Amino acid sequence: MNFSWCHGRSRSDGSANADKVILVPLCVQDQTLKGFEEFCLAFPPPVSSAAMTSLKEICRGLPLNPLPENKGRRKGIPHAPVRTPNLTAQEKKLALRNALRYFPPEIQKKLALEFAEELRLYGHIYMYRFCPDIEMRAYPIVEYPCKTKSAAAIMLMIMNNLDPSVAQFPQELVTYGGNGQVFSNWAQFWLVMHYLSEMTEEQTLVMYSGHPLGLFPSPQRAPRLIITNGMVIPNYSSRDEYEKMFALGVTMYGQMTAGSYCYIGPQGIVHGTVLTVLNAGRRYLKAEDLSGKVFVTSGLGGMSGAQAKAAVIAGCVGVIAEVDEAALLKRHKQGWLMEISNNLDHCIARLREARKNKTALSLGYHGNVVDLWERLVHELDTTGELLADLGSDQTSCHNPFNGGYYPVQLGFEEAKQLLSSSPGKFRTLVQESLKRHVAAINKLADKGMFFWDYGNAFLLEAQRAGADVAKKGANKTEFRYPSYVQHIMGDIFSLGFGPFRWVCTSGDPQDLATTDSIAMSVLEDSIRQGVSTSVKQQYHDNIRWIREAGRHGLVVGSQARILYSDQKGRVSIAVAINRAISEGKIKAPVVLSRDHHDVSGTDSPFRETSNIYDGSAFCADMAVQNFVGDSFRGATWVALHNGGGVGWGEVINGGFGLVLDGSKEAEERAKMMLSWDVSNGVARRCWSGNAFAYETICQAMKENGTLRVTLPHKVLDENILEQAVKH
């Protein structure tokens, strides 16, 4: 279906639109409309001719004649930590040779010198000269000069991932997590945008770890984009090897939704954090009302920034430590963080006041979280008062020795300098800091505070550092404290619920409000039709979330929404949104997606699959099968990554994007693909022995006669195992 734009004119009937030139998408010219004016309302013309010109420039390919001015690193924005790949002289030459492959010989000499300087100063060749001079954001889909709406939607999602209000380190192409790359360098960005502008419905763009391999012929029902990030041979998937390969420009850490172009700003994790805190209160504190309860944690970056907003939505007192002042100020400016203080005396006083008055509060402590935890221990020792009820951590511990975790012994700037000048000493200080960090948590936990690992490899790295996190008689995925998946989110996944999301490509907040209303209606209808008690609770939590979403100002970047939904809910919401597009109630296509952190999307033994106890927690069949299955069941694009959340070599995960355009074909794709995207993981969790998953997949088979899943038989008499082993 062609989506290039042609000129059309309204009829000359004396109306305001008479003889007005309008850009019309060819894909809908043959549709029967009540009137041309109605069509113009459904697909408005480009908003800004200046923006259109800039986007056209972006789509022309690498700007080589003349070369853009090399402005280097821009001041006034956060930048990624200096990387330390420890390349040999020969490897440095190889890194330069690999980078220069993107450019013709006549300019290679000039570029080689500055690329070598970037490699020396920053440990990677980002190609700052080619960082585009454009307002990087998600423009309305009609402004992208493409031949297909799928390509335009992908462009929108890419630019949203690099929007400075969304991205953690935009000039280094890092969306979140300290090292979650969209691309490895800016040459790749230019080439990808050019390929997308030229792509037809019979081509697929293939991406190798940030590098666009090219456009390849494919059938119309095939994905328009296939992404793989970090697919390294297992024996070489170590952190040290990664640093070297990334510096060489041959692989990339895409985190989860950074490298799959599906990030929607911190809202994406706010909802999951709200559900986690609410369910932690139910499980640990036996409380539905969290007013007056104190949640202590760390991190206000790309993903962790959600914690401040989530604490307030959940109704508790959130105290969040952050060493980077820029991150604190960014969240405060966005309205996600209510207060900032660098004074621990003041923090403790405000905590006590809010706790006493049962006032919801998000307080950012500008300092190291270890100092905060140790101060809470001091209060306990001197007053006997336990001031924290719930605790967690969202430092980027998946990357602890390259800026993901800063040691308490040094200030932020001093630590960054040491990381660059003496990475070995920095590593030692991080491990000492982790031991102090855990020691303080242990003292508070012994008195009744409930702590959980947030899937950021905190406990894993603390264990490696020698901290006291061991759990006697446990398997290697278990620690003294549970992963939030083990105790909180794991059963939710087994019910088929996970972080479903969508993006309104018109950029119109009214379209988002319409989709919110649709989603609430779908969930309310499902409750009326009858669901289990456990499913009903999840639906009610999500209806509350949607109802309050607008009031809390959650949109950062694209007009997007997230909610946790099961298979039935996802399919029903997708079908209803698609029909609303067809009927003109929503003005432009909607992109469906999800976090990779989902029912089926991720194999991660220390997070998403940490509650898998049949020995398969370290197997990655589920995530790989999901990627493959989504690709031929209707996804517009699919991605498969090594790393994400808990770090490189620790996880395999994947995601998708699916464009709804109001067509019957889009509806059928959504039904087929979304059903598989949930059932795959539920079936795997069922086979591993999870009772909720067993119940969920059996219900799914009743509703769909073509679904047949192998069900496990329980060993009812454990004595036969003991006898067999002794025999």
Side-chain angles (χ1 to χ4, degrees):
M1 186 181 290
N2 201 332
F3 197 66
S4 59
W5 303 90
C6 72
H7 287 88
R9 289 182 183 273
S10 63
R11 58 183 183 270
S12 298
D13 58 1
S15 68
N17 286 326
D19 296 320
K20 189 173 182 179
V21 176
I22 305 293
L23 289 176
V24 182
L26 292 176
C27 70
V28 294
Q29 285 187 80
D30 58 345
Q31 293 182 9
T32 301
L33 298 171
K34 293 178 181 177
F36 193 74
E37 291 82 5
E38 181 179 334
F39 175 80
C40 295
L41 287 173
F43 290 89
V47 176
S48 165
S49 59
M52 191 65 172
T53 301
S54 296
L55 290 172
K56 282 183 177 178
E57 291 291 334
I58 289 292
C59 293
R60 288 176 183 167
L62 275 166
L64 302 178
N65 189 18
L67 282 172
E69 179 186 355
N70 184 14
K71 298 179 181 179
R73 278 197 172 194
R74 294 174 185 166
K75 295 181 180 179
I77 62 171
H79 287 287
V82 174
R83 310 192 76 92
T84 54
N86 296 318
L87 301 182
T88 66
Q90 285 300 113
E91 288 168 339
K92 290 175 183 176
K93 290 179 184 178
L94 182 57
L96 288 170
R97 184 180 296 111
N98 289 346
L100 293 171
R101 288 183 291 188
Y102 290 104
F103 305 95
E106 56 268 25
I107 60 173
Q108 287 180 355
K109 182 176 181 180
K110 182 173 186 177
L111 295 178
L113 293 173
E114 64 190 57
F115 289 172
E117 183 73 352
E118 286 186 22
L119 188 61
R120 184 181 68 82
L121 291 176
Y122 312 120
H124 188 72
I125 301 170
Y126 296 104
M127 305 185 186
Y128 289 117
R129 176 189 289 273
F130 296 97
C131 183
D133 188 15
I134 186 175
E135 183 185 354
M136 191 70 73
R137 62 181 176 86
Y139 291 84
I141 192 170
V142 294
E143 297 197 24
Y144 290 94
C146 296
K147 296 179 180 179
T148 76
K149 58 183 168 294
S150 297
I154 295 166
M155 283 177 148
L156 180 154
M157 300 290 279
I158 288 172
M159 293 188 74
N160 186 68
N161 270 25
L162 294 170
D163 181 338
S165 70
V166 173
Q168 186 179 13
F169 305 125
Q171 218 182 350
E172 287 76 44
L173 304 109
V174 172
T175 300
Y176 71 90
N179 60 349
Q181 303 284 149
V182 183
F183 302 107
S184 180
N185 60 58
W186 283 106
Q188 294 171 348
F189 168 83
W190 286 90
L191 288 173
V192 166
M193 298 299 273
H194 175 64
Y195 277 134
L196 289 171
S197 72
E198 294 291 317
M199 185 172 67
T200 71
E201 293 283 8
E202 294 183 338
Q203 290 173 304
T204 293
L205 177 59
V206 176
M207 298 293 300
Y208 280 15
S209 292
H211 169 68
L213 192 66
L215 291 171
F216 292 81
S218 61
Q220 285 193 8
R221 282 192 59 81
R224 299 279 70 84
L225 173 66
I226 302 284
I227 303 167
T228 52
N229 283 311
M231 292 292 105
V232 172
I233 305 301
N235 278 352
Y236 303 91
S237 190
S238 67
R239 283 180 180 160
D240 290 342
E241 290 286 352
Y242 168 72
E243 289 298 330
K244 185 170 292 188
M245 285 187 278
F246 181 59
L248 293 176
V250 296
T251 197
M252 189 181 87
Y253 186 73
Q255 268 283 1
M256 289 190 166
T257 51
S260 66
Y261 319 147
C262 293
Y263 191 63
I264 60 168
Q267 178 195 171
I269 195 175
V270 171
H271 186 30
T273 307
V274 169
L275 291 179
T276 300
V277 173
L278 287 175
N279 284 292
R282 290 166 181 155
R283 181 182 181 113
Y284 299 136
L285 307 178
K286 310 303 180 188
E288 285 288 338
D289 181 4
L290 294 182
S291 57
K293 304 300 182 183
V294 178
F295 172 47
V296 176
T297 183
S298 60
L300 286 166
M303 293 287 279
S304 55
Q307 296 181 108
K309 177 66 78 173
V312 172
I313 295 174
C316 65
V317 179
V319 184
I320 307 101
E322 172 60 63
V323 294
D324 186 353
E325 185 179 26
L328 284 150
L329 294 175
K330 183 176 183 177
R331 297 304 173 209
H332 186 263
K333 182 179 179 182
Q334 290 172 341
W336 289 49
L337 183 65
M338 294 167 67
E339 298 177 15
I340 297 174
S341 176
N342 61 5
N343 185 298
L344 278 173
D345 290 338
H346 176 74
C347 287
I348 296 299
R350 283 294 290 126
L351 183 162
R352 280 199 166 98
E353 180 184 5
R355 187 172 181 241
K356 179 181 178 181
N357 296 330
K358 296 189 174 182
T359 305
L361 172 68
S362 58
L363 172 62
Y365 167 56
H366 181 205
N368 198 288
V369 70
V370 179
D371 288 327
L372 175 60
W373 283 120
E374 290 180 341
R375 176 57 184 267
L376 291 169
V377 170
H378 174 75
E379 295 297 319
L380 176 66
D381 290 343
T382 56
T383 69
E385 192 175 11
L386 179 66
L387 294 178
D389 301 287
L390 300 170
S392 192
D393 183 88
Q394 279 200 44
T395 53
S396 294
C397 260
H398 67 276
N399 188 36
F401 309 123
N402 283 286
Y405 182 99
Y406 284 91
V408 65
Q409 303 93 321
L410 302 174
F412 182 52
E413 294 300 327
E414 189 181 2
K416 287 200 296 184
Q417 292 174 7
L418 183 66
L419 170 60
S420 177
S421 63
S422 182
K425 187 174 181 181
F426 182 87
R427 177 186 289 257
T428 299
L429 291 180
V430 164
Q431 292 180 324
E432 291 174 359
S433 183
L434 282 166
K435 285 188 280 189
R436 281 177 58 181
H437 195 155
V438 168
I441 290 168
N442 288 349
K443 289 180 181 178
L444 297 170
D446 287 345
K447 296 298 182 180
M449 182 194 74
F450 295 93
F451 183 89
W452 68 87
D453 183 287
Y454 222 120
N456 59 336
F458 172 70
L459 293 178
L460 180 63
E461 289 303 327
Q463 180 190 59
R464 289 168 175 169
D468 181 14
V469 295
K471 179 180 179 181
K472 292 181 180 179
N475 64 45
K476 57 185 176 180
T477 66
E478 294 182 287
F479 299 98
R480 177 172 181 166
Y481 305 107
S483 155
Y484 76 117
V485 172
Q486 287 172 315
H487 272 201
I488 303 169
M489 299 302 289
D491 284 342
I492 292 175
F493 283 167
S494 295
L495 289 167
F497 282 84
F500 183 53
R501 56 180 61 169
W502 60 87
V503 176
C504 297
T505 66
S506 65
D508 187 346
Q510 184 54 50
D511 276 353
L512 184 59
T514 300
T515 61
D516 284 348
S517 178
I518 288 170
M520 275 198 297
S521 295
V522 166
L523 298 183
E524 287 166 350
D525 286 346
S526 295
I527 291 172
R528 282 193 291 270
Q529 291 167 15
V531 293
S532 68
T533 302
S534 52
V535 169
K536 184 186 291 187
Q537 183 184 66
Q538 296 306 317
Y539 278 172
H540 279 308
D541 282 349
N542 281 280
I543 290 168
R544 170 186 169 185
W545 162 261
I546 290 287
R547 190 171 286 134
E548 296 182 0
R551 179 165 64 86
H552 287 288
L554 295 167
V555 171
V556 178
S558 59
Q559 292 294 317
R561 183 67 72 229
I562 184 172
L563 88 160
Y564 270 58
S565 186
D566 59 355
Q567 177 181 326
K568 182 179 180 181
R570 297 186 205 202
V571 172
S572 299
I573 290 169
V575 169
I577 288 176
N578 192 61
R579 290 177 182 174
I581 297 169
S582 177
E583 294 164 4
K585 297 175 183 176
I586 297 172
K587 304 177 189 68
V590 170
V591 175
L592 300 182
S593 186
R594 58 162 170 74
D595 197 342
H596 299 199
H597 166 68
D598 196 16
V599 181
S600 310
T602 299
D603 282 296
S604 178
F606 296 101
R607 197 165 79 172
E608 285 80 359
T609 48
S610 60
N611 67 331
I612 300 290
Y613 301 116
D614 68 348
S616 70
F618 291 88
C619 300
D621 300 83
M622 180 178 72
V624 175
Q625 287 279 1
N626 220 66
F627 163 80
V628 175
D630 284 354
S631 72
F632 64 76
R633 285 181 173 87
T636 307
W637 74 93
V638 289
L640 185 68
H641 297 183
N642 170 11
V646 296
W648 181 263
E650 305 284 359
V651 51
I652 297 294
N653 64 91
F656 73 86
L658 195 160
V659 177
L660 297 178
D661 60 5
S663 67
K664 186 64 177 176
E665 181 191 10
E667 179 175 320
E668 293 306 313
R669 283 172 175 252
K671 288 178 180 177
M672 180 69 72
M673 200 223 77
L674 293 174
S675 295
W676 155 258
D677 195 65
V678 176
S679 286
N680 172 38
V682 176
R684 185 270 178 95
R685 294 168 191 277
C686 165
W687 185 246
S688 76
N690 185 282
F692 283 115
Y694 188 100
E695 176 186 331
T696 303
I697 204 65
C698 286
Q699 181 62 34
M701 285 193 284
K702 286 180 182 178
E703 295 172 0
N704 184 347
T706 63
L707 175 64
R708 298 180 63 186
V709 171
T710 306
L711 299 175
H713 294 285
K714 285 187 176 181
V715 175
L716 298 179
D717 183 359
E718 290 289 323
N719 290 326
I720 65 173
L721 305 181
E722 189 70 27
Q723 292 168 7
V725 170
K726 288 181 177 179
H727 182 68

